[in-house]
Amino acid sequence: MARQYPLGHVRNIGIMAHIDAGKTTCTERILFLTGKSHKLGEVHDGTAVMDWMPQEQERGITITSAATTCDWNGRRINIIDTPGHVDFTAEVERSLRVLDGAIALFCAVGGVEPQSETVWRQAEKYGVPRIAFINKLDRAGADFSAVVGQIRNKLGANAAPVMLPIGAEKDFRGLIDLVAQRAVYFGEDDRSGTSREEPIPAALEAEASRWRHFLIEKAAETDARLLEQFCGDKDISPAELKAALRAATHARRICPVLCGSAFANKGIRQLLDAVVDYLPSPVDLPPITGASPQGEPLERRPDDDEPLAALTFKVMADKHVGKLVFTRVYSGTLRTGAYVLNATKGKRQRVGRLMRMHANRRELVDALPAGEIGAVIGLADTVTGDSICCQEHPIILEAIKFPTPVLGIAVRAPANGDGDKLGEALRRLAEEDPTFTVTADAETEETIIAGMGELHLEVIVDRLRREFGVQVAAGAPQVAYRETLANTVRIDEKHRKQTGGRGQYAHIVMTLEPLDAGRGFEFVNAIRNGAVPREYIPAIEKGVVEAMRKGVWAGFPVVDIRVTVTDGSHHEVDSSELAFRICASSAFKKACLQDTPELLEPVMKLDVTAPEEHAGAIAGNICLRRGRIASMQRRSGHVAIAAFCPLANMFGYATDLRNMTQGRGNFTLHFEGYEAVPFTLAEEIIAARKEAAARPAGRRRRQGART
């Protein structure tokens, strides 16, 4: 299939923001203006095209990232609408990994909110150029200048307005285009997106001139030629200013700022123009880098004739077509029926069908050329983060890293014969979502599902019932604790076993020492005299890792330790990899029992916004939940409280906050890190775990199934 648009005319962008900032509404207006949709979809009444899941329509929030494609001024724009809720931040993570640019949305009233900071950091991590859009300028309390200041101060961005609002709140009626030096006025209340251009009103000329001078100054700091013109008081044309802003945006040295009201369809045309003018195409960015299977660095240019290099960033189970693998093609062309190599797994696979996605609707295509985003059917063994390439020129691209789940619940299928059905459904959901895990607890005989928060798991259980027809029973939430060492421990362990034939012998001397939080696991081979042959060292490490999966005190994974093997011995006949693996596992467990148990618990960052008169009650409730308040800021009749709270004490907080504030308080909760549990509380948790493990299996299953 011939390329429809030149590669330089392709834009791969995402829309990211805090929850309720207007991402999906903005996307709906873009689809309407570009002719992709013929009516305005609304989030509040469940008619938004991009929020197609029943769970999204009922809750009025985006849960899964949705992809679509539209055309504007001779450009192809591939859009991914991302969730704003912190429980689904992994959707933002994997989207930003494959995008070339992004629109950062900010509410003109709320400004830079907690999740705004999170997604901004994610975009920084992947080096994604951004433009900003200050939304909801027609709302009471809207303050354009204040939000621009917050973007600079809180996010550290070099924010440079290219548009100014004309009027505010209910008087918001137009924009001043600082680049073209024109005023843009919108139609009255028809939401059609129509506008007219006029000269800048005399009353606003001084302010417009001051802001344009500021904009040129910011652009000149990044462009030597423009700086020379600026210092020489020479006129700078709109084309020259636009070119400088484009280059600076690509280099992430400037963030152009626009404004409007997505709901009223004001400023969306200008936003689309800015996407074309300022955000990069694939050819504007450096080649993608990766490595050969042997570890040698490689790169691929964005070109249809280059060897194929693509990254899978999302997997979705579709009841009509089966498994959909969302893929970004960086170089070469992905074709229907072609055989490709999954370089991550080293497996050869055949491409069944290729599709462009429009939310949950599909358009069949023959090929996906370089720079395009689409979905593949037929890649059965491919998961999120796998690299797809041609067999002759293998390349492994950098994978996507996701946060670890922090909250779990026990689930079971009460109906006879539904156990296999539940298992298959959970497998498919885990394949879709890298932040969702499924484990079997051998002691309690329960299936434990884990995710990023209460809402995340609530949606999973709802999908099990609706999509897969499993009337699953869910237990109470379970916190994902971790175990670690408090002190350095030395252990000298021998493993002997003689059964009449060849026996087993292994001897290991090793030291266990705690590491700083977040360091993970380190294994050090410090044997210098050859007492333990080299071929047995990997078996020792494997035995330790196996033992770490289930701690000796409460059965939680062990983290943040260094294991150093210092000495040992072996037998010429009886020693084996199995013997050393068993010995290492036993040594690790015995060493842990020599130390004082230390439990780690997930700590969440809590951000609350509520009317000022409720600040005292909210602060008191946080303290009751073992939380510590980090900051309390007052702004326009509201208070913004930031705190750190143990996850174990945050269940039911939504209800408590609603009651304390008469429904006027909002909060976000996201994972911050692990901290030590107070000793007395740790003892209670360990005792409860041991008591649960000692109960009869039938009783454990009944308790785990309570809803």
Side-chain angles (χ1 to χ4, degrees), residues 60-74:
I61 62 171
T62 301
I63 291 173
T64 184
S65 54
T68 189
T69 298
C70 59
D71 303 326
W72 183 255
N73 288 347

Side-chain angles (χ1 to χ4, degrees), residues 77-99:
I77 304 177
N78 299 313
I79 304 173
I80 298 180
D81 178 30
T82 65
H85 197 285
V86 293
D87 279 19
F88 309 104
T89 190
E91 293 287 329
V92 184
E93 186 87 16
R94 60 176 160 198
S95 299
L96 288 171
R97 172 65 178 84
V98 299
L99 293 174

Side-chain angles (χ1 to χ4, degrees), residues 256-301:
V257 181
L258 297 93
C259 55
S261 169
F263 181 75
N265 208 358
K266 296 177 178 179
I268 304 301
R269 287 182 180 273
Q270 290 70 30
L271 179 61
L272 279 165
D273 289 339
V275 168
V276 170
D277 292 339
Y278 303 126
L279 290 181
S281 72
V283 297
D284 297 318
L285 298 173
I288 191 71
T289 58
S292 70
Q294 293 76 35
E296 300 169 353
L298 297 172
E299 64 178 35
R300 294 283 187 269
R301 294 182 301 106

Side-chain angles (χ1 to χ4, degrees), residues 1 308 327 329 332-335 354-356 365-370 372-376:
M1 184 184 76
L308 175 67
T327 303
V329 182
T333 302
L334 190 61
R335 302 184 186 279
L354 295 172
M355 302 175 179
R356 282 200 182 93
V365 295
D366 297 327
L368 290 174
E372 292 289 346
I373 293 173
V376 188

Side-chain angles (χ1 to χ4, degrees), residues 206-406:
E207 184 182 13
S209 178
R210 179 172 63 84
W211 278 100
R212 191 171 194 272
H213 185 274
F214 174 82
L215 178 63
I216 293 174
E217 187 177 287
K218 287 291 183 182
E221 291 173 358
T222 67
D223 188 296
R225 183 178 174 186
L226 200 70
L227 180 62
E228 186 179 340
Q229 290 180 261
F230 179 70
C231 295
D233 290 327
K234 296 180 180 178
D235 288 337
I236 296 172
S237 69
E240 290 173 321
L241 179 55
K242 191 175 290 184
L245 288 171
R246 177 176 175 82
T249 303
H250 293 182
R252 293 183 291 121
R253 298 180 67 184
I254 280 181
C255 176
V257 181
L258 297 93
C259 55
S261 169
F263 181 75
N265 208 358
K266 296 177 178 179
I268 304 301
R269 287 182 180 273
Q270 290 70 30
L271 179 61
L272 279 165
D273 289 339
V275 168
V276 170
D277 292 339
Y278 303 126
L279 290 181
S281 72
V283 297
D284 297 318
L285 298 173
I288 191 71
T289 58
S292 70
Q294 293 76 35
E296 300 169 353
L298 297 172
E299 64 178 35
R300 294 283 187 269
R301 294 182 301 106
D303 192 305
D304 296 349
D305 297 324
E306 279 271 299
L308 175 67
L311 184 72
T312 62
F313 65 94
K314 181 181 174 73
V315 173
M316 187 175 79
D318 189 288
K319 62 182 179 182
H320 300 295
V321 298
K323 182 177 176 179
L324 287 173
V325 178
F326 287 72
T327 303
R328 160 70 193 266
V329 182
Y330 286 97
S331 67
T333 302
L334 190 61
R335 302 184 186 279
T336 298
Y339 283 93
V340 296
L341 176 69
N342 182 328
T344 308
K345 292 186 170 63
K347 290 186 175 181
R348 181 172 179 261
Q349 296 180 300
R350 184 178 181 274
V351 176
R353 285 178 286 172
L354 295 172
M355 302 175 179
R356 282 200 182 93
M357 300 299 295
H358 180 49
N360 63 330
R361 301 202 296 272
R362 300 170 293 275
E363 174 194 351
L364 284 172
V365 295
D366 297 327
L368 290 174
E372 292 289 346
I373 293 173
V376 188
I377 296 175
L379 305 182
D381 297 322
T382 299
V383 298
T384 298
D386 284 354
S387 299
I388 304 299
C389 58
C390 60
Q391 302 173 73
E392 297 79 15
H393 303 280
I395 184 172
I396 302 173
L397 305 177
E398 183 185 356
I400 310 170
K401 297 179 181 177
F402 296 100
T404 305
V406 295

